[in-house]
Amino acid sequence: MTETHPPAGLAGRTPSGPAPNKGLLIGTGALLVVLTNAVIFILPPLLPVIQAQYGLATVAGTTWLYTALTLGGGAGFLLLPRLADLYGDRNASVAAAAFLTVGALIPAVGDSYPTLLAGCILMGFGGAAQLLPLGFLRRNLGEDGIRVGVAVLVIATGVGIVVGMIGGGFIVENLSLRSFFLILAAVCVVTTVASYATIPCAPPAERTGRIGVLGTAWMIAWVATVLLTLTQGLVWGSAALIPLVIGIVGGIAWVRVERRSSSAVFDVAMMKAPLVTASCLCIALFAALNSAFMLLLSTYAQTSPAALRPADAYGLGLSALETGLLMAPFAAAFLIRGAVLDRALFNGRGVPVFVIGALVSAAGLAWLAVAHDQQWHYLVGAAVMGLGCRIGYAAGFTLVQMAVPEEKAGMAAGAAGTFMAVGFAFGTALVSGDLSASLVPVPGTGLEVAAKGLYGIGYWLSGALALLVVVTVLISRARSGRRAAAATS
C-alpha cells in the first residue's frame, strides 16, 4: 500500500571523524527523547501547583502554559528536523538542546507566570529534539535505521513519561519550582554536550532546498489563534468569534498559498503518498486524546474533596508525585515491544494497525468515562490508553518515514511532529474548554474548579477523537483504492 524507499546511505556523506559508536549514538538519541518528553509530561501534574503558586484564577489560564509549550513545539517540529537535513544532524541537535537549556533557565531566574510562559515556548521549540534521532539514527545505522529510530522514539517516550510525571512531582514536593527548573537546566546542559560529542559531524544529507520560514510562522499563527479561541471562548463570549474567524480564514489562505509555494512547509509529493496524510492526521488525533487524558487525570486526581462544599465534592486529593504514579501504567505500556505490528507496518498493512490502536484507546477512554473516582480506575485506564497510543504513534511515524528517501528523513519527521504538536495543543484546548463550562468555588480561596460531571464528558469527547482515527484511515484506504482502479482502467 505504501511506497517505501530503502534506507540506504548517501554517496559522499561520510563523517569527518571515526565511525560513530552505535551504542553511544542510540544512547544519545534516547536521552534526547527522554528529556524532551519529560519536559512535556512534567506539566500536567504540576498545573494545580502552578495555579496555586502564581494565583491563576481559571483552569484555562493555567493550561495555556501547556498550549504554549506545544505551540512552541510546532515551530520546532517544522524547523529543527529540516535544519538537520540541510545543515547537519549534530548542529540541529546541539541547537535544540541549547533552546531547552535557555527555556529552563528563564523561569528559574524570573520565577513568575510571564517568565514561565516564555520558558514554555522556548522549551517547546527545543522539544522538537525528540524527532531528531529518527534522522541521525536512520542515516548512521543503515538498513535497520527506520526500525531502530522509531523504537527509540516510542520506548524512550515511555521512560520520559515516568521521569516527567514522577520525577517532576518529587522535585517540586521536596524543593521548589525554581529549584526544579535549575536542575532541569543542568540536565539540558549535559544533553547539549552529549549531542556534540556523540553525533557524527557529517555533510548535510540534503545539499539543496530551503526552509519555508514564512509558511512556518504563518501556520503557527493561525493555529494559535484558533486554539486561543478554544481556551478563552467561554470567557470572551461572542467576542471569541472574531479570532476564530481570523484563524479559520488564515488557515484556508495558508493551504492555498502552500500548494503553489516553491518552498512549501510540507513536501507535496510526500503528502500525496498512500497513507502519509492520513498517518499525520492520526498522529494529531492520538496526541489530542493523549493530552486530553493527561489533563483530565491530573486535574481530577489533585482536586481535594475536603476543600469543596459537600454538594460539589469530588477528586482524589493526591499530590503531584502521587498523580505521576497513577500514570506509571501508561508509560509502561510504551515499553512493550510490538514486533508483530511492526512487521505488519513494513508489509504494507498500516490501516489495521491504526484501527487496533484507535479501538484500544477508545476502550480505555470509555472505561474512564464511567469509572474515574477511584485510583485503581485510573491505573487500569492508563494502561489501556498507553498501549493504544503506543501502537498509534509507532504506526504513524513509521509509515511517514517509509514514504521518503533518507535525505528527507528530517522533513518527514517534521511533518509528523508538527501534526503531533498541533494535536497536543488541540486536546489541551478541548479539555480546557470542557472543564471551564461549569465551575464551582473552592471555599476560602477565591479559586474555582470544574464541576464533577464535566470529567465524564471530557472522556467521551476524547473517545470520539479515537474513533476519528478509524474514520480517517478507512477513508484514506478507500481513496487509494479508487485512484488505483482509475490508473488501471
Side-chain angles (χ1 to χ4, degrees):
M1 292 178 59
T2 304
E3 180 184 0
T4 62
H5 300 265
L10 296 177
R13 273 193 73 250
T14 56
S16 58
N21 182 288
K22 180 179 179 179
L24 288 177
L25 195 62
I26 292 175
T28 299
L31 177 60
L32 285 168
V33 179
V34 168
L35 175 61
T36 51
N37 277 280
V39 170
I40 294 172
F41 284 86
I42 274 167
L43 276 183
L46 301 187
L47 289 180
V49 178
I50 292 170
Q51 181 177 10
Q53 178 162 330
Y54 296 130
L56 303 177
T58 66
V59 173
T62 309
T63 56
W64 184 246
L65 291 170
Y66 198 44
T67 303
L69 185 77
T70 52
L71 286 176
F77 288 145
L78 283 170
L79 291 174
L80 286 174
R82 285 298 287 153
L83 286 174
D85 288 343
L86 298 174
Y87 299 102
D89 293 310
R90 177 195 282 180
N91 292 334
S93 300
V94 170
F99 270 103
L100 286 168
T101 303
V102 175
L105 279 175
I106 289 177
V109 174
D111 195 23
S112 66
Y113 178 78
T115 56
L116 181 56
L117 188 64
C120 283
I121 294 173
L122 292 178
M123 286 188 290
F125 186 86
Q130 67 183 280
L131 300 180
L132 298 180
L134 288 174
F136 67 70
L137 290 177
R138 180 177 179 182
R139 287 190 264 263
N140 287 280
L141 299 185
E143 294 183 358
D144 206 34
I146 294 179
R147 195 185 305 272
V148 173
V150 174
V152 167
L153 175 64
V154 172
I155 294 173
T157 293
V159 177
I161 295 170
V162 173
V163 173
M165 298 291 290
I166 299 177
F170 176 82
I171 291 173
V172 169
E173 285 190 11
N174 290 274
L175 298 172
S176 66
L177 280 174
R178 172 175 283 183
S179 299
F180 162 73
F181 281 111
L182 286 173
I183 293 172
L184 179 60
V187 174
C188 293
V189 169
V190 173
T191 304
T192 305
V193 174
S195 298
Y196 182 83
T198 62
I199 299 175
C201 180
E206 187 179 353
R207 298 182 184 275
T208 60
R210 294 187 301 165
I211 295 176
V213 178
L214 178 60
T216 300
W218 188 351
M219 180 181 177
I220 297 301
W222 69 259
V223 171
T225 303
V226 172
L227 292 173
L228 180 61
T229 304
L230 292 174
T231 55
Q232 301 296 330
L234 293 173
V235 177
W236 293 346
S238 59
L241 293 175
I242 298 175
L244 179 62
V245 171
I246 293 174
I248 293 175
V249 172
I252 294 173
W254 177 83
V255 171
R256 294 178 64 88
V257 171
E258 286 293 297
R259 286 177 175 175
R260 300 190 299 268
S261 174
S262 60
S263 57
V265 174
F266 300 139
D267 188 303
V268 176
M270 182 198 75
M271 298 306 292
K272 288 183 177 180
L275 267 186
V276 170
T277 298
S279 294
C280 289
L281 290 172
C282 290
I283 288 171
L285 290 169
F286 276 108
L289 62 91
N290 190 340
S291 61
F293 159 72
M294 290 190 302
L295 291 176
L296 288 166
L297 183 154
S298 61
T299 306
Y300 189 99
Q302 294 187 66
T303 299
S304 174
L308 299 175
R309 297 176 304 190
D312 301 324
Y314 70 88
L316 303 178
L318 301 182
S319 66
L321 175 58
E322 292 168 333
T323 301
L325 291 173
L326 284 185
M327 288 290 292
F330 181 89
F334 275 69
L335 306 181
I336 298 174
R337 184 180 179 187
V340 174
L341 295 179
D342 287 344
R343 284 197 296 271
L345 291 172
F346 280 91
N347 289 331
R349 296 193 295 273
V351 170
V353 176
F354 271 127
V355 170
I356 292 171
L359 293 180
V360 170
S361 298
L365 291 165
W367 162 261
L368 289 169
V370 298
H372 55 260
D373 57 357
Q374 300 290 332
Q375 292 190 37
W376 72 271
H377 294 164
Y378 286 102
L379 293 173
V380 173
V384 178
M385 272 292 298
L387 179 60
C389 289
R390 183 252 184 267
I391 294 171
Y393 286 140
F397 282 101
T398 298
L399 292 176
V400 175
Q401 282 293 317
M402 289 171 62
V404 298
E406 180 185 289
E407 65 269 19
K408 291 186 179 292
M411 182 269 294
T418 300
F419 276 84
M420 182 174 69
V422 173
F424 263 102
F426 177 77
T428 303
L430 180 68
V431 169
S432 177
D434 171 54
L435 297 184
S436 298
S438 178
L439 302 175
V440 297
V442 180
T445 65
L447 301 176
E448 294 179 316
V449 297
K452 180 180 180 180
L454 296 177
Y455 289 91
I457 295 173
Y459 284 119
W460 285 123
L461 289 174
S462 303
L465 295 179
L467 296 180
L468 281 178
V469 172
V470 178
V471 174
T472 298
V473 295
L474 292 180
I475 291 175
S476 177
R477 182 168 66 177
R479 294 182 63 183
S480 297
R482 287 196 297 269
R483 285 196 295 264
T488 57
S489 62

